[in-house]
Amino acid sequence: MAKKLKLAIIGCGGMSHGHLDGYIKIKQGESNKFEFAAMCDPVVERAQAFANEAGKVQDFIPKVYTDVGTMLKNEDLDAADICSRHCDHHINAIDCLNKGVNIMTEKPFGVTIKASKAIIEAAKKNGKICATAENIRRGPSQRTAYWMFNESKLIGDPRMFFSQMAQWRGLEPGGWHWRLDLMMGGGGMVMDSGAHFCDTIRYLFGDVDTVYARVEQLEQRKTNKNGKIIKDWQEDTWVATINFKNGVIGTWTVTWSAPGQGFSHVFYYGTEGSLQDHDVFHGPWGNAELTLKDGTKKPFEEIIKEYMATLSDDEKNRLFPLGFTNGVHIECYDFLDAIQNGREPEVTGEVGMRAKAICESIYESAYCGQAVKYDDVLSGKINAYQSQIDNFWGLW
Ligand SMILES: NC(=O)c1ccc[n+]([C@@H]2O[C@H](COP(=O)([O-])OP(=O)(O)OC[C@H]3O[C@@H](n4cnc5c(N)ncnc54)[C@H](O)[C@@H]3O)[C@@H](O)[C@H]2O)c1
């Protein structure tokens, strides 16, 4: 029987609740796969609340820690699921990997490309797994989109996409959060929720060739940090043209500085028709719609059923383990299962970094005011925008 893995969750904040829920469901489905060994968050109440929840599905309450170093000294872990701030991912991950602990980090994989590479190197050096917690591509509708574009070719060969959203967001300073600090977040929504979209387009269409983008904060946005009004660093607008190596071209435009009428749509075109979705970060979803060249329309839900019917039982178990359809639950299962079976996780650190390199290409292009080669951003040859963040975190 495979070894029961000892798991810790690092960062017990917002998103981490989804991970805890996923592991609890795994525990209920395969109780011997792992045990919750420890919970870690500088805010002890958060870690304690997680430990108490975990204690309900096993016969002991996991230990609680407020820093990763102390946890690693005291625990003999197999796996750590890292859901901390972007700037902590590489620090937490490298500490774990150097102690022989396999890791999965939330998206975006590292705060910069250098940070991402440092995690991957530490994993290689220690012979351990580094996985990216990218949940979106694992859902039934996104897996169906992959099948449609790359295998069944229902709308022919992919040609282009237009992913666009315009909204107005008020200027009243909201409460401060680490995401609003450039050094902690590494950037705004281009690389936060945008990490999902960039992973999805790369999943669907492969690696990118060139990117040209403008990234702006069109309104002076501010935030209230402990009663003091300070700058909010996040962009509120970007327009990016993304050329793929396979010839697909797409535009991704998002703004919340557009007063008046707003809209949100995503159209993907193939040589034989289109897929219309609405979510510029997380789709395509089941409520999308296909339109073929002759005008025939088909709800995407029907295509999802067709795709699911093509899967053998083995494929279903691999892609939707324990019958899960929630991408977070699937990624948690995949992480544990990859460790147990000595295989690669579905979304490796390298895959997470390559999605991130699209986000960073957008920032780098905007920063230098010219088109950039994706490969140059991925290799680190172009890093003018990121160097301020790398320097801050001592990533040389
Ligand atoms: N997959 C998704 O759909 C999705 C959605 C939201 C957030 N996320 C990602 O999840 C991660 C966390 O985001 P969030 O929204 O949960 O943020 P959050 O602020 O709600 O939670 C972060 C937690 O990390 C803790 N923390 C801070 N410093 C730490 C350290 N040094 N070591 C350990 N823990 C530390 C904080 O106390 C907090 O509890 C980010 O990478 C974010 O992009 C993913």
Side-chain angles (χ1 to χ4, degrees):
M1 203 177 73
K3 182 187 174 215
K4 197 188 230 184
L5 301 173
K6 290 179 190 292
L7 170 76
I9 298 181
I10 297 176
C12 305
M15 185 56 203
S16 199
H17 285 88
H19 291 233
L20 177 64
D21 187 44
Y23 290 117
I24 288 174
K25 292 211 162 52
I26 296 167
K27 196 88 194 130
Q28 288 160 341
E30 273 184 41
S31 63
N32 280 328
K33 203 162 189 70
F34 79 101
E35 64 188 30
F36 291 106
M39 299 293 176
C40 179
D41 195 296
V43 182
V44 69
E45 297 79 16
R46 292 184 192 158
Q48 189 61 60
F50 268 48
N52 294 346
E53 280 307 303
K56 292 179 187 165
V57 291
Q58 60 186 32
D59 52 14
F60 66 97
I61 295 181
K63 297 267 183 46
V64 164
Y65 294 93
T66 53
D67 79 278
V68 173
T70 310
M71 177 178 78
L72 291 171
K73 258 188 219 140
N74 288 284
E75 301 291 330
D76 183 19
L77 300 170
D78 299 296
D81 183 340
I82 299 170
C83 299
S84 49
R85 306 167 304 180
H86 302 163
C87 58
D88 299 315
H89 289 182
H90 67 284
I91 300 168
N92 296 158
I94 292 168
D95 282 351
C96 289
L97 289 162
N98 284 342
K99 286 279 181 179
V101 182
N102 299 282
I103 63 102
M104 174 166 77
T105 83
E106 254 300 343
K107 50 49 62 174
F109 183 64
V111 69
T112 57
I113 293 294
K114 270 199 179 144
S116 307
K117 285 193 171 162
I119 302 175
I120 293 168
E121 270 164 32
K124 275 197 192 129
K125 188 181 83 189
N126 293 290
K128 295 291 156 189
I129 283 175
C130 67
T132 306
E134 176 47 71
N135 52 315
I136 294 301
R137 65 154 71 192
R138 307 184 209 232
S141 58
Q142 293 83 4
R143 292 203 195 278
T144 302
Y146 177 87
W147 173 75
M148 188 184 77
F149 281 117
N150 294 284
E151 290 169 18
S152 75
K153 304 265 175 154
L154 270 174
I155 56 169
D157 290 321
R159 255 187 188 164
M160 58 195 148
F161 64 82
F162 304 90
S163 175
Q164 294 163 331
M165 183 181 83
Q167 282 182 349
W168 172 252
R169 245 182 233 175
L171 300 177
E172 190 57 33
W176 185 84
H177 189 263
W178 57 264
R179 283 185 163 82
L180 307 183
D181 181 301
L182 181 63
M183 298 306 154
M184 293 186 195
M189 284 298 142
V190 166
M191 63 164 263
D192 195 324
S193 294
H196 293 303
F197 185 69
C198 290
D199 179 70
T200 298
I201 54 177
R202 189 178 164 270
Y203 173 54
L204 297 178
F205 308 127
D207 270 332
V208 162
D209 182 35
T210 48
V211 171
Y212 175 68
R214 264 183 66 188
V215 180
E216 307 278 354
Q217 194 184 71
L218 292 179
E219 298 283 348
Q220 288 203 353
R221 296 185 182 271
K222 300 209 166 7
T223 176
N224 184 335
K225 189 176 185 186
N226 305 322
K228 202 172 161 198
I229 304 299
I230 59 168
K231 184 173 170 58
D232 160 354
W233 277 95
Q234 292 205 333
E235 64 274 0
D236 60 15
T237 301
W238 64 95
V239 178
T241 303
I242 306 170
N243 275 296
F244 289 76
K245 289 185 174 163
N246 70 353
V248 168
I249 183 162
T251 59
W252 185 35
T253 301
V254 178
T255 179
W256 36 93
S257 282
Q261 184 63 50
F263 69 92
S264 180
H265 63 220
V266 186
F267 285 91
Y268 296 93
Y269 288 92
T271 48
E272 302 301 324
S274 64
L275 175 71
Q276 180 180 359
D277 186 47
H278 307 279
D279 186 336
V280 296
F281 290 115
H282 308 98
W285 293 111
N287 61 359
E289 188 179 52
L290 240 71
T291 308
L292 299 178
K293 222 178 209 171
D294 65 4
T296 317
K297 290 196 182 284
K298 255 190 167 185
F300 199 46
E301 283 292 3
E302 270 180 33
I303 317 296
I304 295 173
K305 283 192 194 132
E306 283 172 26
Y307 161 69
M308 294 299 265
T310 67
L311 299 176
S312 65
D313 286 348
D314 278 356
E315 284 169 323
K316 268 193 198 134
N317 287 337
R318 181 171 57 80
L319 298 169
F320 304 103
L322 299 175
F324 293 157
T325 52
N326 176 318
V328 177
H329 300 173
I330 297 170
E331 76 195 3
C332 293
Y333 187 96
D334 181 55
F335 175 46
L336 297 176
D337 201 64
I339 299 170
Q340 265 180 340
N341 291 300
R343 63 166 173 85
E344 280 212 327
E346 181 179 358
V347 186
T348 59
E350 175 77 24
V351 172
M353 177 173 72
R354 281 176 177 268
K356 198 198 159 47
I358 305 178
C359 307
E360 296 295 4
S361 297
I362 292 172
Y363 285 127
E364 296 295 352
S365 168
Y367 197 82
C368 22
Q370 62 187 53
V372 294
K373 282 272 181 202
Y374 168 81
D375 283 345
D376 288 342
V377 175
L378 186 62
S379 73
K381 187 172 160 197
I382 295 180
N383 75 340
Y385 164 80
Q386 295 165 85
S387 63
Q388 54 193 325
I389 301 158
D390 286 335
N391 288 340
F392 186 87
W393 293 107
L395 286 154
W396 293 291

